[in-house]
Amino acid sequence: MARRRDLLSLALAALAAPAFAQSPKPIRLIVPYPPGGPLDIVARALADKVKDSLGVVIVENKPGAGGNLGADLAAKAAPDGSTLVMGAVATHAINPWLYARIPYDPIRDFTPITGVAQVPNVLVMNPQAADRHGVKNVADLVAFAKKNPGLLNYGSGGNGSAGHLAGEMFKAQAGVFMVHIPYAGGNPAQLALLAGQVDLNFDNLASASANIKAGKLRALAVTTAKRAAAVPELPAIAESGGTLAGFDIHTWFGLFGPAGLPAEATQRLNKAFVDALGSNELKARLGTLMAEAMPTTPEQFGAFVRAELAKYEGVVKRSGARID
């Protein structure tokens, strides 16, 4: 009887050993911004959705240096699929030109996995200013600005912010001059617009939507190349044609691993996250943020990031924004 018990114990141990060895290592998903923001909200929703296919995904917030700190942690991690980062337009397209030095290369140091989402910005005016200047659409705005250089001003959340760079791109493509007034964050910039201290902003659609619906702000157009699903009635700036025909600037974020991530691991991660983005739960969560899913292949996402990096070089340099 004792011998049978020993044999049974050995058999159970033999069965348990492979199961333990095969249990996946938890994935560390770094969000390079504080908790509670859009990237953090979507990262946690994705982590919950992919647990059946990838195992445990632990979201870690590592804010600092405009996202550079968290991105660098992922860049320097082992390329074994256990560390990912939710990179964004700031970490991979703007910061390389905005900061005098960053500790990583946005292309060489990462393996693109998939785009996750894009969030439109919206060109909004103070209604009284719009009426005073006879501006009902983007074409009216451009015509007025050309006739009155420097008379219009626009606010933003600070030098180098998304709203600042959208304004600089608009000025360059439309061939107009407007005065930029930076504020200490997006909320103060919107309050200044509501109070009539500035004429217009290039604001985040989600944060501006309530005041647009209430008639406190007048939306002229979204900044994406095409109309946004959340507000299909609003034209895109690009629809104005002329030199603005190619206008396209928006906030985006996506998943990256360290450079050297094996192709098999990259494809496995891509499939799991793309499938999750197609789920009703993720679509609903993105909808609350007025964001649109942006699933891609790794190759498509890599090409997109390279194009965005090239685009923002000129935008940031024209803006004059610089962080030492």
Side-chain angles (χ1 to χ4, degrees):
M1 183 65 72
R3 180 174 175 77
R4 288 179 63 187
R5 284 199 301 268
D6 291 342
L7 289 173
L8 181 60
S9 298
L10 288 170
L12 290 173
L15 288 171
F20 178 81
Q22 291 170 10
S23 62
K25 182 179 179 181
I27 294 174
R28 177 192 189 199
L29 175 52
I30 297 172
V31 174
Y33 299 100
L39 272 73
D40 181 64
I41 292 170
V42 176
R44 293 179 188 278
L46 280 172
D48 183 64
K49 195 65 183 175
V50 301
K51 62 186 178 185
D52 290 339
S53 55
L54 296 179
V56 177
V57 178
I58 301 170
V59 176
E60 292 187 15
N61 297 92
K62 297 292 183 182
N68 293 343
L69 176 61
D72 187 49
L73 288 173
K76 291 179 170 55
D80 58 6
S82 65
T83 301
L84 307 175
V85 64
M86 186 76 86
V89 60
T91 57
H92 281 72
I94 295 174
N95 289 358
W97 311 115
L98 181 62
Y99 284 76
R101 292 174 301 278
I102 62 172
Y104 58 85
D105 185 283
I107 304 300
R108 290 196 306 268
D109 291 343
F110 296 90
T111 299
I113 295 170
T114 181
V116 170
Q118 62 176 2
V119 185
N121 290 330
V122 59
L123 169 52
V124 284
M125 285 196 74
N126 175 282
Q128 290 73 37
D131 289 340
R132 188 167 61 249
H133 300 314
V135 175
K136 295 183 174 63
N137 51 45
V138 174
D140 290 342
L141 176 64
V142 172
F144 181 85
K146 284 185 174 180
K147 290 179 182 177
N148 303 276
L151 183 62
L152 293 174
N153 55 38
Y154 74 99
S156 82
N159 288 320
S161 67
H164 178 205
L165 298 180
E168 292 304 309
M169 179 181 283
F170 183 86
K171 286 163 56 178
Q173 291 193 17
V176 299
F177 175 67
M178 300 184 295
V179 177
H180 171 234
I181 301 178
Y183 290 86
N187 286 338
Q190 188 178 114
L191 289 173
L193 180 62
L194 290 167
Q197 296 170 5
V198 293
D199 299 306
L200 58 111
N201 285 1
F202 294 81
D203 207 348
N204 177 276
L205 178 59
S207 64
S209 61
N211 284 315
I212 293 171
K213 290 176 181 176
K216 296 178 181 179
L217 294 177
R218 183 172 300 170
L220 301 185
V222 292
T223 63
T224 41
K226 298 179 181 179
R227 297 190 182 206
V231 283
E233 70 279 7
L234 274 185
I237 288 175
E239 292 179 40
S240 301
T243 55
L244 289 170
F247 193 91
D248 181 20
I249 191 167
H250 57 276
T251 300
W252 56 262
F253 45 99
L255 290 164
F256 299 84
L261 192 64
E264 182 180 355
T266 302
Q267 292 299 330
R268 180 173 62 90
L269 291 164
N270 174 268
K271 184 180 188 312
F273 285 109
V274 167
D275 287 349
L277 288 169
S279 69
N280 291 332
E281 295 93 329
L282 261 296
K283 288 178 181 177
R285 185 59 60 90
L286 290 172
T288 64
L289 302 171
M290 294 199 169
E292 297 178 26
M294 195 178 78
T296 65
T297 66
E299 294 77 17
Q300 288 169 337
F301 189 42
F304 172 79
V305 173
R306 290 191 295 273
E308 287 285 285
L309 180 65
K311 177 175 77 177
Y312 277 100
E313 179 180 12
V315 177
V316 173
K317 288 180 178 178
R318 281 193 301 270
S319 76
R322 189 72 168 169
I323 299 176
D324 294 324

